[in-house]
Amino acid sequence: MIDFLPDDTPELRAWRAEVRAFLAEVVPGGMHFDYDFDESPEGWEKSLDFWRKVGAKGWIGLTWPKEYHGLGRSAIERWILWEEFANWPAPGFPVIGHAVSWFLLRHGSHEQKLRHLKGIADCTILWGEGYTEPSSGSDLASLTTRAHRDGDDWIINGQKTFGTAAHQCQWMAVFARTDPNARPHEGISCFLVPLDTPGIQMLPMHNMAGGQQNQTFFENVRVPHANLVGDVNQAWSQIWFHQGGQNLDQPGHAPDVMEYRMLRTLKEVFTFCRETKRGGKPLIEDPVVRLQLAELVEGMEIIKLQSFELHSTLVNGTAEGWNPLGGVFNQIHYREFWPHFAQVCMDIVGPLAQIEGGRWAQLQGRIEHYFRGSFGNHAGGTAQLKRMTAATRGLGLPR
Amino acid sequence: MIDFLPDDTPELRAWRAEVRAFLAEVVPGGMHFDYDFDESPEGWEKSLDFWRKVGAKGWIGLTWPKEYHGLGRSAIERWILWEEFANWPAPGFPVIGHAVSWFLLRHGSHEQKLRHLKGIADCTILWGEGYTEPSSGSDLASLTTRAHRDGDDWIINGQKTFGTAAHQCQWMAVFARTDPNARPHEGISCFLVPLDTPGIQMLPMHNMAGGQQNQTFFENVRVPHANLVGDVNQAWSQIWFHQGGQNLDQPGHAPDVMEYRMLRTLKEVFTFCRETKRGGKPLIEDPVVRLQLAELVEGMEIIKLQSFELHSTLVNGTAEGWNPLGGVFNQIHYREFWPHFAQVCMDIVGPLAQIEGGRWAQLQGRIEHYFRGSFGNHAGGTAQLKRMTAATRGLGLPR
Amino acid sequence: MAIDFHFDEQQKLIRDSAREFFRKHCPPAAVRAAAKATEDFPAELWAGMADMGWLGITVAEEFGGLGASFLDLYVLYPEMGRFLVPAPHLDAVVVGAGLVSALGSVEQKQAILREVVAGKLLIAPALTDTGGFGAEDITTEARGANGGYVLNGTKLLVMAAGAANLLVVAARIAGAEGVSLFLIDAAAPGVAREKLPNIAGYPLYAVTFTDVSVGAEGLLGEAGGAWPALEAVLDKAAVLQAAMVAGAGERVLEIAVDYAKNRVQFGTPIGKHQAVQYLCTDVAVAQRHTALLALHAAWRIDRGLPVAREASLAKAMAAKAAAVMTFSAHEVHAGIGFMEDYDLSMYTRRAKHWESHLGDRRHHLERAIALTLEPAA
Amino acid sequence: MAIDFHFDEQQKLIRDSAREFFRKHCPPAAVRAAAKATEDFPAELWAGMADMGWLGITVAEEFGGLGASFLDLYVLYPEMGRFLVPAPHLDAVVVGAGLVSALGSVEQKQAILREVVAGKLLIAPALTDTGGFGAEDITTEARGANGGYVLNGTKLLVMAAGAANLLVVAARIAGAEGVSLFLIDAAAPGVAREKLPNIAGYPLYAVTFTDVSVGAEGLLGEAGGAWPALEAVLDKAAVLQAAMVAGAGERVLEIAVDYAKNRVQFGTPIGKHQAVQYLCTDVAVAQRHTALLALHAAWRIDRGLPVAREASLAKAMAAKAAAVMTFSAHEVHAGIGFMEDYDLSMYTRRAKHWESHLGDRRHHLERAIALTLEPAA
């Protein structure tokens, strides 16, 4: 039955109230923190403190099986939890631990799940991303980092790049070529690597929005065979994003703190327009600005509704008339809309939007920072790649 | 020396005055006629009458050599002539005779030039387009119409399609495969074919804007060897559009009546906005409409300046900083801007723009007709094809 | 049920039977023939739709309808878009009968609705004087006279006025505030109907009222008080118009993708080129966005939630999608799509009507932002 | 000469020597260093530009300039864009000295221009109170007092105010119509300069005037009568800003095309993909359109033709191009383009300043349509 209402039972409404009470207690007033674009030590500290408290409630692994540090709760409860976090806002979950957790839950061994999900559930262990290489971005099959067997161990050599906040992490899921003679996508394996292993070196890179990404060099890095996830040479087909959507291994899509940052930014722009006069009139009465704002509202509304559709697909299967690859279409819209949104916000705020701080900055320079961050819209695969995935896998056009 | 002034001598100004006087006498008040989108017999008759008078002045072949029915005049005089025609407006030149003339001047034999340029110069013979086939649009190399030698003749079999106004023509330049064993683009020849030759049959197709295009069937159509243009099997490399720009065989680009129709349409919309009130205020004072109009003005201005640049390139060579394939960039802008322009004009005129005629139609339904015509923006190769040509030949990206 | 995009069994039944019915009765040739016919739409098609019960899905059972939900009605509309059904269901039933349901006295409902449901009475809503769909765009005048009213004005873009028995006319009563609605016999003296040739080939009319008398019983709802109900009915219609665009978009996407897969140029199907893949995903994205906004708004209607903002977002997106989807599909096709005989052009022509019908993109964006910024308004 | 896009020999000479000079003095490392330095811009670069004669190209010979044409000056600007030259030529010379040339008395010109041309005196135009560039955006107040004036107000986004000796301040004289300009010593009592951290890394300042006294001789032009000349100077500057964007666009295009040719993904250079080809042609098209409009406007200036409309079209297009070119180039690059150390990000940051400097796209589109519809205005 068509429904857009997550909490249609008293139990679910109580759950939402519980989450909200937790937030009010732990991060009163909310906390803006995007680990992608922020290197402030206080920000990291407060964000980790928050997530450790979430972990202590068991909510990071809310839907995981109880035997693996989860609470075994439903997808819709997870939706409500994240919706509240996003709305509040809570800081974004630090680095890629969530993605690793779904990957481990699907492909990890019993021992790996027992051991590694704990640190994610507690937020005591942060996981970095270990697939991107300097000459291998979305094209995982072209990666050149090598791992070869040496007794009970594997020895890794190579280089990973663009590892967002990897310097804050303790572990990394590293994809490496284990069969150099196999076809490109058939010889890749995934290893769980502690980042304090000898032979690992990290060099910082800084992105346009002030976040730190990293190059990680592996020189004869030795990890035990027990740290191989799943079967050897099978990582390409296991990898969580190989279906074109990062969310497909989740029990059901949930709203995202990062996406909701857009909504909060929009509300800030509303306020700005109400309080700012241009040509003697409040900006909010300017017909051109109103149309610009309306188009931003439209794009935001679509992002929100896409989440509903994806959740329904993952939980209830694809409804007739909806593309089974809906997640990819969501990703197209988000990647294309985000920079457009940021550009229009800058336009509305006007020439003074270029000021980054101090008393003459508009909205404390947050729009300008948001704008710079929007050049990070390629993370997880470019809009162009998503378009092609949608065209070929979603619409069936030839490759 | 940088210059945008076509008539900077008294002689050229006199020439412009002469053209203007001619127009004032022959088509006082101007005449809108797009043969692409108009099947009215009166329109055709008046248009042909006009062009025969132009022909009688020798102006169709203005820049052709005198020995081939031309006047041997300069490229800048041709610019001025066409600019005046476009501004007036004169009706568009009927079908593709001009393209054929440049092709013949470059590749035709002395006898062919003598004979066939006469009918074009007089506008007594109309030439149709004979390259497009049902499964071969912009991809000339894939054409399947065949011609085989039979003594002193060639026998043509096959089918051409989308021949705009071909039913009005007496001749057609037909491209056919003359060596079925050669590589696709190496076995094609061009024949000059009278359309009353036995074996030719024509079926009409109607486009969305009310123009007639045609399918032309060739069944054992016999043409003498003398009607072959240039060398056998060489047509692919000869064809006038093979450089990605139809204008490259001209002595210098000149303004175009069709493009100027856009400018006239814009002026009509200006008038409409001045005379129409919405919400109690003249539309011309609506800030949103004004921005829409400004963007249309911007796009139009670019079209006009592109003509200048192309003219300079063809006459004086590529200036530093300008892409030698400028013509293709012009074609991109025109093809992308035209439908956008038409859409915005419809938006401005509003819901009543959908009415095609009668007393409730706005601007006598001309905007609606113009809008329908804009779906013909693929003629001469789609915007997508021009983009790829610009990227690979213009910017040097790999194919 | 908590977030679900599956229609329920009754809705699936209606949708599937609609698809089957329209596939049989509205092939492209029939759609083309209807646009050229002198009658406004094929009478037998309308009778068939009446037989299926589709003229009364949301009409109360006491007046001969099914008394079903808005989503039960909604599922018809993607199919009507897909098959370009040449029948004035949206205007005559959703708006026309919808206004009688919303505002009519019991007598008016008794007299009218059962006949509408049976397909025997056709209502043409004559609302717009200028093409605009805001309250301020209504200028036709009703002058009080002899205990009734005398109407003067011209209504434009009136759907199926030629076949209509009854007109619902929006007017302003001279000297009073607000919008009033009148039920007027389409054949009443002083009513002149003029067919408007239009891009969509729809039976659109200008209806001119010259000193048309109507008794006090011709008033639908309160004098000067019709706007809130009219606005609510127009919101429902806007959502369905968006659903129609989304359904047409599914078909336009199929046409474009089929062509891209099968058309070979330069040795490969053109659908292998990323430029063409971009165009096809443009169609899919616009279709999907429209469907999302429309379905959400429809759900809000059944839940009794405020829907004006969401209806406007859906219609605004649908207007954009109507243009983008057809444009992009034409870009995929180039020459062949420009031909009248190719099915795509049928969609392009009708999409142009849908774009502005019930309010154009700008109208709905302005309304949506007003409702977002000043929700109280 | 009748339609020609080739610069003449003198212009080619200036352009070529500029390219050579900037290639040597403004490599990317120098541009980055300048943005982080405490001084507003590298003094030796400015001195070098003075030596080349570039601070006085259009200044009359009697005041130490070359008295050359606007196109002679124009050819510098694509190079300044290409190399992101960290020097305030546009603001200090074109606007600042340009205003003195246009409005100054012989005494003012004598005292100032020769020094400017020699690189010894730097003028910072302090024009905008709000970021807007229309006459109505000027609100700083000058009150008549003691035969002179007292200024109060804050000017924003003032380029290189820290290094400036002299400010040209736009203000309104209390109780009088029109805009007036004042020449004010940057070190005068009551002048406070505050550096504004900004996306471009440019030396932009807020300059606050608190009861700043200036004598009658500090007035530049007529009281209340500066706007026409100011507007004309701003038009010239807008055209040059557009030329700078076009020149930067050439380099951005090179960066994007080089990357697309050399970056291999899925076994082929990404530049083989039509999606990437589209993005690269987006850069090229925006660059070309900007260059066309800017060059045409520049030519009109030298021909003495009205240029306000054409200057606004050029700047409006340049604003759009600044955003489109950098955005599209980033889309080509994905991850690496997002890195501060990659050259592209230098262009992106400065392009954001250029977008709104001397008036944003909306300002210039509104001006262009006004001048198109009401050319008399």
Side-chain angles (χ1 to χ4, degrees), chain A residues 303-375:
Chain A
I303 287 178
K304 288 180 68 174
L305 294 175
Q306 285 179 332
S307 286
F308 283 87
E309 197 264 328
L310 184 56
H311 183 93
S312 168
T313 299
L314 295 174
V315 173
N316 311 312
T318 305
E320 205 192 339
W322 298 93
N323 197 296
L325 244 68
V328 179
F329 287 90
N330 299 357
Q331 293 172 341
I332 291 172
H333 176 61
Y334 186 69
R335 280 162 173 71
E336 294 180 348
F337 182 64
W338 181 14
H340 172 73
F341 176 92
Q343 169 76 32
V344 173
C345 288
M346 289 292 280
D347 288 347
I348 291 173
V349 172
L352 303 183
Q354 68 190 293
I355 303 171
E356 293 184 318
R359 62 180 177 135
W360 298 104
Q362 309 292 301
L363 298 170
Q364 288 88 54
R366 282 198 296 274
I367 303 298
E368 188 269 351
H369 184 244
Y370 189 81
F371 172 75
R372 281 188 280 129
S374 73
F375 290 98

Side-chain angles (χ1 to χ4, degrees), chain B residues 1-8 12 76 79 253 270 274 284 287 289-291 293-295 297-298 301-303 305-313 315-323 325-327 329-330 332-333 336 383-392 395-399, chain D residues 1-8 11-12 15-16 19 71 250 253 256-258 260-261 269-285 287-289 291-293 295-297 299 303 309-310 313 316-318 320 361-362 365-366 368-375:
Chain B
M1 193 188 96
I2 301 294
D3 212 343
F4 288 81
L5 191 68
D7 36 356
D8 60 350
L12 289 171
I76 198 70
W79 172 286
H253 180 72
F270 285 173
R274 286 200 177 94
I284 202 74
V289 169
R290 286 178 79 88
L291 278 184
L293 292 176
E295 296 198 333
V297 166
E298 177 189 48
E301 190 85 357
I302 289 164
I303 286 178
L305 295 175
Q306 286 179 332
S307 286
F308 283 87
E309 196 264 329
L310 184 55
H311 183 93
S312 168
T313 299
V315 172
N316 311 315
T318 305
E320 205 190 342
W322 297 94
N323 198 295
L325 244 67
F329 288 89
N330 299 356
I332 291 171
H333 175 62
E336 293 179 350
Q384 292 77 35
L385 188 71
K386 301 298 174 185
R387 284 271 190 173
M388 299 314 123
T389 305
T392 54
L395 305 181
L397 289 168
R399 295 221 247 179
Chain D
M1 297 306 299
I3 306 185
D4 191 3
F5 273 51
H6 292 73
F7 289 112
D8 69 21
Q11 289 153 2
K12 284 182 190 165
R15 181 195 61 199
D16 293 348
R19 193 170 296 180
L71 280 163
E250 286 182 27
L253 181 61
V257 167
D258 281 352
K261 280 180 182 168
I270 62 168
K272 203 172 165 175
H273 299 308
Q274 292 186 340
V276 173
Q277 296 185 347
Y278 247 84
L279 292 166
C280 289
T281 52
D282 278 343
V283 180
V285 164
Q287 190 280 333
R288 179 179 163 85
H289 291 183
L292 280 167
L293 291 163
L295 185 66
H296 179 237
W299 169 81
R303 282 269 180 178
R309 175 182 173 278
E310 288 71 20
L313 286 174
M317 181 66 225
K320 179 177 166 184
R361 177 164 171 82
R362 182 170 168 193
L365 283 180
E366 285 174 348
I369 193 64
L371 292 164
T372 303
L373 293 170
E374 302 101 23

